[in-house]
Amino acid sequence: MSLEISNIKIERLKTDFLIIGAGVAGCFAAYEAKRLNPNIDILILEKAHIDRSGCLAAGVNAINAYITPGQTPSSFLEYVKKDSVDLIREDLVYSIAKEVNSVVNLLEEWGLPIPKDETGMPYVRGRGSIIVQGERIKPIIAQATKNTKAKILNRIVVTNLIIKKNKACGAFGFGIRDGKFYIIEAKAVLVATGGASGLYKPNNEGDAKHKIWYSPFNTGAGYAIGIRAGAEMTTFEMRYVSMRIKDLMAPTGAVAQGVKAQQVNSLGERYLEERYKHLGGKSMPTSMRLWATLQENIEGRGPCYLDTTHLNKEQAERLQAYYLHMTPGLTLYWSARGTSPNTDPPEIVGTEPFLVGGHAQAGYWIDINRMSTIENLYAAGDVAGGAPKKYLSGAGAEGMMAGRDVVSRLGSLTHETVFEKDIKDELSRVFKYLESNKNTLKPDELELRMQKTMDDYAGGIASGYILNEQKLLKARKYLKQIKEESKHLFAKDLHELMKCHEVIDRIDVARVLIEHLLYRKETRWPIYQTRGDYPNRDDKNWLKFVNSVYDEAKDEIKIVERECKALDKALLEV
Amino acid sequence: MGISIDHNSCNGCGYPEHETPCNMACPGDLIFMQSNGKAQICSNADCWDCVACIKICPQQAIELKLPFEIVGKEGSLKARAYREKTIWTASDENGIEKVFETPARNDASLTTLISPEEFTDVIDSYKGISKSFMDLGVDI
Ligand SMILES: Cc1cc2nc3c(=O)[nH]c(=O)nc-3n(C[C@H](O)[C@H](O)[C@H](O)COP(=O)(O)OP(=O)(O)OC[C@H]3O[C@@H](n4cnc5c(N)ncnc54)[C@H](O)[C@@H]3O)c2cc1C
Ligand code: SF4
Ligand code: SF4
């Protein structure tokens, strides 16, 4: 397929509230805004189809942020703070903690099956987490969203925000089914596109390259459009590397917390307690439990497992089935091998690094109402920064907060006219890769080049996640070249055009990540951020946020430091 | 490998008048319709194993296969999504099957909250979505 840009059909739409991404955060934002003001006009743009898009496409088997009996929002805050080595936005985390249970109540009302014990309580699966049977969670959320009568356009890839005088007034995108260029004018915009996978070389190669934990289709677009618009980003250097079940990269919670499987090495030792007690043993921060696992391998005691050999046959079968709610490939993995968790305990390894604001805290710098540093531009969920461990329920809570704020400010918001020049520039930027010309670079090729560079020089799996200045400077240099290379991209159809923009977005995100990694000269979160040249934690100089702002005209990434503040006690009362 | 589509079973679901369920479901936009009216995946390496396309295919033409480099063994997973549950069949290399069932929605919501016409995620009520996309006309 080749195209003349002058033949592209243009679709211009106007709305009050534009939501980018129909995932958890986007859907809950629409729900809450429509509940408070049924007359507000909402348009949701989704690159896939709302029924099965984003992280929840396959489903989930737990809600990982929930105030369980005996816990309070304050104790949740303390736990997140400790696990994140003291550097978090306490105001954001606390506000999430106050709302996660109401998100779960809504999900249950909409139809999510949540098993209960004899007393009517959900089954607690470790601190702050309850069991759900969530294979159908995404269609359930989609149905509730459709019921609000918010307009939903599926298969629209958003490519940039429209900004005027540091105010957000819409977004550009293209349709992967209709091939049209979309110009949306809006009074307020919410970015809810999830985090970024695919920045680093993954664990598996070739045909298995997308057997990764985080959705390969969440490509960091939301970060990239914010970066290009000059929005302030925070804490990209706190990457998320997770301990996962080898090969299928499935989450471990169901095994570790659900059936209380212990981490054991090949000698059968419960190594966290037996070898790393001085560092906290089983209650070490999440990233340290992975660090200990890698250490066991380095010292020759691998592979490490989650020990499920104590399960009886029936329990093992139940565990296998439990994964159908989230990572069905793992259920097949055991079946195809003719084994079961009690005879074939899962091996554990570390994933490649991701940027995920809902697990670690890379994302937009936002205020308590989830507005970014650009007026009328909001961010929620995995794309929003400063609040680790918000997961699914926290993403929903943040979406609701943004929706509420937009409704309360709606009366004072107006539309802005978009500059014709901006429209022309973006139209050409978006579609030029489809034009028949001499370009031959495939998006997959450029992606591999970027992933290899990140793996080699920016602390990927191959280098044991370790970073240092000399390597990062090389990464900076190569990424600049890789960005240059992107002008040679060629797309033969609209699907490939989407892939061109995915890799372009990832490169922009990776370049900002490198600057954050270079700037923080201490090791705060081992594995997520281990500086070989600054191996110690340094609270005196670095208990503060590293933020960045990109200047597109100058192609410059400026770092700004922000203070880490304790929770305003006035908030506690509300 | 990701998925495999059996072209003897795939009946095209009314394409090109309707968008097909598998094409609609895929979060990665990986499934296309060929000019012979059969569905095809454009790149199995890009598949995330989410099984969305498999659960919703009315003909049960799609199954999940693990990449050879990961298990080395044949085996497959099929699934059917009904309103209230999903039924799964996992087979090993010898075709020995294990059947699982998972609930889809809680009982309360099935009886009170949702009208049956609104289900777009289940095979027994899928009516086709009117075609609103450009015919790409590409054979993959
Ligand atoms: C495999 C897996 C299992 C998980 N299990 C659990 C669990 O058991 N419990 C739990 O609490 N949490 C779990 N999580 C975390 C949880 O799913 C996420 O925290 C949550 O989905 C984040 O919500 P979000 O709205 O930010 O992102 P998402 O829900 O991923 O939504 C982002 C949306 O934006 C769309 N989008 C992306 N780019 C564009 C673009 N350019 N234009 C338009 N749309 C775009 C995507 O298609 C998607 O629909 C899991 C995550 C994964 C990956
Ligand atoms: S849903 Fe199944 S039968 Fe219908 S087009 Fe897709 S593969 Fe073919
Ligand atoms: S399993 Fe999921 S990612 Fe793979 S083709 Fe089907 S819908 Fe797409």
Side-chain angles (χ1 to χ4, degrees), chain A residues 92 366-371 378-379 398 401-403 405 409:
Chain A
L92 301 181
I366 49 177
D367 68 14
I368 193 77
N369 297 316
R370 272 59 192 176
M371 202 200 286
Y378 294 77
E398 285 201 321
M401 292 176 214
D405 201 51
R409 297 177 57 243

Side-chain angles (χ1 to χ4, degrees), chain A residues 31-97:
Chain A
Y31 171 82
E32 183 69 352
K34 276 285 189 188
R35 185 183 69 83
L36 295 169
N37 177 359
N39 296 322
I40 185 172
D41 187 83
I42 298 184
L43 175 64
I44 309 178
L45 298 183
E46 167 54 53
K47 83 184 235 192
H49 187 286
I50 184 171
D51 275 6
R52 285 287 183 187
S53 64
C55 287
L56 302 191
V60 295
N61 60 22
I63 301 278
N64 289 332
Y66 187 81
I67 308 302
T68 49
Q71 302 292 327
T72 60
S74 303
S75 70
F76 181 85
L77 172 64
E78 282 314 308
Y79 153 67
V80 175
K81 188 172 164 184
K82 179 163 173 265
D83 205 80
S84 313
V85 199
D86 288 349
L87 184 62
I88 54 166
R89 279 281 300 277
E90 296 192 16
D91 56 339
L92 301 181
V93 175
Y94 186 73
S95 64
I96 288 170

Side-chain angles (χ1 to χ4, degrees), chain A residues 503-521:
Chain A
V503 66
I504 289 167
D505 287 347
R506 281 173 165 140
I507 294 166
D508 283 346
V509 173
R511 291 183 68 202
V512 172
L513 169 59
I514 298 297
E515 298 309 313
H516 280 252
L517 291 171
L518 270 167
Y519 197 83
R520 184 174 287 284
K521 294 184 177 54

Side-chain angles (χ1 to χ4, degrees), chain A residues 49 51-52 108-109 111-112 133 135-136 143 146 155 177 205 209-212 320 335 495 499, chain B residues 23-24 26 29 46-49 55 82 86 92 98 103 106 113 118 120-122 133-134:
Chain A
H49 187 286
D51 275 6
R52 285 287 183 187
E108 188 169 29
E109 191 184 303
L112 179 70
Q133 294 169 313
E135 179 269 306
R136 216 62 73 80
Q143 214 154 28
K146 291 173 197 167
R155 302 287 176 198
R177 289 284 183 277
E205 287 174 283
K209 72 171 184 181
H210 275 180
K211 307 311 164 215
I212 62 178
Q320 196 183 348
S335 282
H495 177 75
K499 291 184 68 162
Chain B
N23 172 289
M24 181 199 83
C26 180
D29 186 40
D46 286 348
C47 172
W48 190 35
D49 285 6
K55 285 183 269 205
Y82 299 97
T86 303
D92 69 10
K98 220 170 175 173
N106 57 34
L113 282 168
E118 284 165 25
T120 52
D121 59 305
V122 295
F133 57 95
M134 191 163 78

Side-chain angles (χ1 to χ4, degrees), chain A residues 389-436:
Chain A
K389 296 194 170 289
K390 66 181 113 154
Y391 306 110
L392 189 176
S393 38
E398 285 201 321
M400 297 219 284
M401 292 176 214
R404 230 172 273 151
D405 201 51
V406 171
V407 167
S408 74
R409 297 177 57 243
L410 191 64
S412 65
L413 301 176
T414 51
H415 282 116
E416 295 275 340
T417 330
V418 187
F419 290 128
E420 285 308 310
K421 182 176 180 310
D422 289 352
I423 295 177
K424 251 183 86 191
D425 288 354
E426 182 66 0
L427 179 68
S428 135
R429 190 190 78 93
V430 169
F431 286 97
K432 64 181 178 208
Y433 306 107
L434 272 179
E435 285 182 312
S436 51

Side-chain angles (χ1 to χ4, degrees), chain A residues 144-209:
Chain A
T145 311
K146 291 173 197 167
N147 283 345
T148 67
K149 303 282 181 279
K151 287 191 213 106
I152 302 158
L153 283 180
N154 293 308
R155 302 287 176 198
I156 310 290
V157 180
V158 170
T159 54
N160 257 327
L161 294 164
I162 306 175
I163 308 286
K164 257 179 113 172
K165 291 181 258 157
N166 203 41
K167 276 189 190 171
C169 47
F172 296 116
F174 69 97
I176 19 178
R177 289 284 183 277
D178 63 15
K180 287 183 191 165
F181 181 57
Y182 283 80
I183 306 164
I184 317 292
E185 291 168 48
K187 295 176 182 167
V189 182
L190 169 68
V191 182
T193 52
S197 65
L199 300 173
Y200 286 83
K201 197 166 168 176
N203 294 72
N204 299 305
E205 287 174 283
D207 260 5
K209 72 171 184 181

